[in-house]
Amino acid sequence: MYATQALTHVVPLAEEFDKNKVTPGVLGFIVFAALAVGVWLLMKSMNRHMGRVNFEEAPDPDVVSADAKTSGTATGHAR
């Protein structure tokens, strides 16, 4: 079957639809749903990776040694 013959069978079906109404159709819904699922999976992965991050910073060695010299203790904390 040639493309022109296929189009002649589809054209009468297209005349049944309102020409002033434009809808995204099933393909638009499938693309939107796939994007939504992809974003959901990315957010889930991001939350898992952010949970593994250690936000506690190690003290700067230069500041700790300067505090130890000024306070007279080895750890930098007054007792």
Side-chain angles (χ1 to χ4, degrees), residues 7 12 28 35 38 55 66 78:
L7 287 176
L35 287 172
F55 287 106

Side-chain angles (χ1 to χ4, degrees), residues 23-54:
T23 61
V26 177
L27 180 62
F29 175 75
I30 291 171
V31 169
F32 182 77
L35 287 172
V37 169
V39 168
W40 180 73
L41 289 172
L42 283 172
M43 293 295 290
K44 187 176 177 182
S45 174
M46 183 192 70
N47 283 333
R48 186 175 57 238
H49 283 89
M50 291 298 286
R52 295 178 185 168
V53 173
N54 182 10

